[in-house]
């Protein structure tokens, strides 16, 4: 089942829409009404970080210069976020005797995400730190609930439609940064990543079913 769709991420401090949500799943029927499967998904976001302009950087000297020049005088800075998901799932079909087969399902996933600024700091450097070169990577385990239907066009081809709600259960974080005790970019990347991890994710996807 190759699929394509979109996602909405909502939390206490964020409200994002994904620009791309795609992947492929492989499923097998273990009982007449039950299937199990594995899937790989990829999603990405473009974020404009306007709150960073008002961030307390902790830099005692050059604070005004950092907040104004480096952050484009309040216009915000572009971030890019992408996530790779590996998921194991199961579906329970409410009926199997018709061409339209509604189902409910659940899944458990491993997620690897990356977040970075796209401007590379605009060449800004302070205290031997080249701001904007940092990146933030995170891993998390998530759970999902699914509701959808399979529509058969023939014995070998069909359409899969599903609505999925996902939530992170745990996380483990790694990052890279210039060596410094005071690095506002790294702190900001960490805060945004944690907000995304804590958010409620709702996804809608359509996929082509190919049976063999």
């Amino acid at each position: 089942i190759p699929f394509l769709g979109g996602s909405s991420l909502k939390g206490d401090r964020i409200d994002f829409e994904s620009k791309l949500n795609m992947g492929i799943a492989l499923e097998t029927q273990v009982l007449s009404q039950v299937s199990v499967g594995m899937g790989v998904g990829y999603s990405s976001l473009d974020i404009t970080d306007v709150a960073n302009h008002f961030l307390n950087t902790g830099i005692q000297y050059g604070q005004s210069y950092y907040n104004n020049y480096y952050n484009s005088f309040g216009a915000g800075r572009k971030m890019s976020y992408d996530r790779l998901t590996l998921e194991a799932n199961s579906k329970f079909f409410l009926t199997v005797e018709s061409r339209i087969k509604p189902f409910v399902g659940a899944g458990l996933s491993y997620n690897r995400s990356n977040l970075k600024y796209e401007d590379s700091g605009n060449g800004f450097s302070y205290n031997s730190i080249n701001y904007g070169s940092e990146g933030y990577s995170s891993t998390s385990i998530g759970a999902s609930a699914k509701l959808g239907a399979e529509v058969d066009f023939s014995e070998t081809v069909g359409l899969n439609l599903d609505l999925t709600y996902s939530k992170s259960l745990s996380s483990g974080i790694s990052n890279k940064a210039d060596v410094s005790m005071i690095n506002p970019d790294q702190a900001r990347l960490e805060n945004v990543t944690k907000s995304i991890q804590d958010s409620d994710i709702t996804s809608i996807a359509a996929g082509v079913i190919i049976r063999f």
Side-chain angles (χ1 to χ4, degrees):
I1 309 175
F3 62 85
L4 184 67
S7 299
S8 171
L9 295 79
K10 294 184 182 295
D12 292 337
R13 299 182 179 181
I14 65 170
D15 187 354
F16 298 145
E17 299 287 338
S18 69
K19 68 173 184 178
L20 178 65
N21 184 23
M22 59 184 296
I24 189 168
L26 181 65
E27 300 178 0
T28 184
Q29 209 78 18
V30 293
L31 297 172
S32 62
Q33 289 182 269
V34 179
S35 69
V36 295
M38 296 287 295
V40 179
Y42 173 82
S43 61
S44 63
L45 295 170
D46 285 334
I47 303 169
T48 300
D49 181 24
V50 293
N52 180 269
H53 176 65
F54 304 102
L55 181 68
N56 180 7
T57 65
I59 299 174
Q60 300 301 316
Y61 303 100
Q63 174 82 44
S64 177
Y65 182 75
Y66 174 89
N67 272 342
N68 289 299
Y69 170 75
Y70 180 44
N71 198 30
S72 302
F73 293 87
R77 297 173 62 201
K78 296 293 185 181
M79 285 178 165
S80 62
Y81 173 87
D82 62 81
R83 183 177 71 247
L84 180 67
T85 299
L86 303 177
E87 183 183 62
N89 62 68
S90 179
K91 295 177 181 177
F92 177 78
F93 293 89
L94 304 180
T95 178
V96 293
E97 301 298 330
S98 64
R99 296 185 63 180
I100 300 177
K101 303 179 180 67
F103 63 80
V104 293
L108 190 64
S109 64
Y110 169 86
N111 306 282
R112 179 69 175 177
S113 62
N114 298 282
L115 180 68
K116 65 180 181 179
Y117 283 107
E118 292 186 349
D119 57 17
S120 298
N122 289 326
F124 183 83
S125 178
Y126 187 83
N127 281 351
S128 300
I129 302 172
N130 297 317
Y131 289 101
S133 62
E134 302 84 3
Y136 206 83
S137 299
S138 172
T139 61
S140 65
I141 301 298
S144 62
K146 301 175 182 292
L147 178 66
E150 291 187 359
V151 182
D152 292 339
F153 299 142
S154 68
E155 291 185 357
T156 57
V157 178
L159 176 68
N160 183 86
L161 301 170
D162 68 63
L163 173 67
T164 302
Y165 170 80
S166 305
K167 187 76 175 180
S168 291
L169 301 178
S170 64
S171 64
I173 298 171
S174 62
N175 62 79
K176 66 174 185 176
D178 292 303
V179 178
S180 172
M181 295 298 293
I182 303 173
N183 191 323
D185 272 6
Q186 194 65 41
R188 185 60 181 158
L189 290 171
E190 179 180 350
N191 290 337
V192 174
T193 298
K194 288 182 176 179
S195 294
I196 292 175
Q197 280 188 339
D198 293 338
S199 67
D200 300 309
I201 303 176
T202 304
S203 303
I204 299 176
V208 177
I209 300 171
I210 304 171
R211 295 186 178 92
F212 54 92

